[in-house]
Amino acid sequence: MSWYGFFKVPFRQFVKHGYKATITGAENIPRTGGVILASNHVSSADTFLTPALIDRRVTLPVKAEAFRRDQGLVWGVIGWFLKAVGMVPLERTGGRAALDGLGPVIEALKEGRVVGIYPEGTRSPDGRLYQGRTGVARLALSTGAPVVPVGILDAKITGKKLGIPWVERPRIVVGKPLDFSAWKGMEEDRAVGRWVTDEVMAAIQQLTGQTYVQAYASSVKSGAMDAAEADRRVRERPGGGPAPQAPPTASA
């Protein structure tokens, strides 16, 4: 048994019977091949609820700093554990480095793995759904992997029991896969990247019913945008424009 399986088997039982977590739509996740699970992000519990409840092994991108071996014994152990359970490093710097930092995640998809990602980039500051960052589109357009929208509901941590952060009856709802393979190879096209990202966020919104704010959650959390401005940016849904033209096929 792998380290992933060693930890997942008992943890899955704890999530199902301790938290009484439920999942619907799990059959929408393809059984083989690379898959991108794109989810809303409302709680720190999100990162373990979905991986615990689906059958396939889930790889989550983790900040690259956690894998460094030069930060002392504790971080060394953390880095070993993350690698042992199949996590991959993600560079969180800006610009070109951020795009290049998706390399390990892209490789995981090409290897046929399931990758979980939170397009908002950070937890929602108020429970609403915020604008997605285009990394999810870059992954889909680089690899042709389907994007499966995931809605996480009732996952707010309500306190602790025996020192364990506690969640009461969280629900995971999995939607139908979104196929953007017609636009594969167009990851450098900003308009296509934004359209794909908005379509993913709209699919998540359909599952959760969250109010959508056309602004980055990080702007609100950092104080760069105040609550009043965030309220002014409430929209009915993300995007909504027509699909961009796909490149001609090789047989065209």
Side-chain angles (χ1 to χ4, degrees):
M1 181 183 292
S2 67
W3 281 109
Y4 184 88
F6 178 81
F7 286 107
K8 179 170 180 172
V9 171
F11 194 67
R12 182 175 191 171
Q13 297 305 310
F14 170 76
V15 168
K16 290 176 66 175
H17 302 294
Y19 290 160
K20 293 182 170 49
T22 59
I23 183 168
T24 56
E27 68 277 5
N28 291 323
I29 301 172
R31 293 184 177 273
T32 61
V35 177
I36 302 164
L37 298 182
S39 174
N40 61 322
H41 198 10
V42 293
S43 165
S44 58
D46 301 343
T47 54
F48 57 80
L49 288 172
T50 304
L53 290 172
I54 73 169
D55 292 334
R56 290 189 65 184
R57 176 174 179 169
V58 179
T59 294
L60 294 174
V62 178
K63 61 182 181 180
E65 307 93 272
F67 288 84
R68 289 176 56 187
R69 297 289 185 89
D70 59 352
Q71 301 183 96
L73 178 62
V74 172
W75 279 104
V77 172
I78 290 173
W80 167 83
F81 173 78
L82 292 172
K83 287 185 178 180
V85 297
M87 303 299 106
V88 294
L90 176 67
E91 295 289 349
R92 302 196 301 175
T93 51
R96 182 74 239 176
L99 301 181
D100 293 341
L102 289 172
V105 189
I106 291 173
E107 286 304 310
L109 289 169
K110 289 181 177 178
E111 291 169 4
R113 293 155 70 178
V114 176
V115 169
I117 190 169
Y118 303 100
E120 291 169 277
T122 187
R123 291 195 298 271
S124 171
D126 51 23
R128 297 186 291 190
L129 187 69
Y130 280 79
Q131 187 172 24
R133 296 189 178 273
T134 56
V136 63
R138 188 169 184 82
L139 293 176
L141 298 172
S142 296
T143 65
V147 181
V148 176
V150 177
I152 301 179
L153 301 157
D154 303 327
K156 183 178 179 181
I157 293 176
T158 58
K160 290 186 177 182
K161 290 187 179 181
L162 300 175
I164 301 172
W166 205 257
V167 183
E168 294 285 352
R169 301 181 184 277
R171 294 179 290 139
I172 309 296
V173 185
V174 183
K176 299 286 186 180
L178 304 175
D179 181 6
F180 300 108
S181 58
W183 294 271
K184 185 179 179 181
M186 298 185 71
E187 61 269 15
E188 301 293 345
D189 188 310
R190 292 186 179 183
V192 174
R194 174 44 56 192
W195 177 79
V196 168
T197 302
D198 286 343
E199 289 300 297
V200 171
M201 300 309 293
I204 293 172
Q205 185 191 31
Q206 287 183 338
L207 299 174
T208 65
Q210 290 170 283
T211 298
Y212 175 69
V213 181
Q214 190 171 302
Y216 292 126
S218 58
S219 297
V220 177
K221 291 179 75 172
S222 69
M225 179 181 295
D226 62 25
E229 178 59 25
D231 288 343
R232 285 192 287 270
R233 297 193 180 208
V234 169
R235 301 289 185 270
E236 183 176 346
R237 61 151 279 170
Q245 183 174 357
T249 62
S251 60

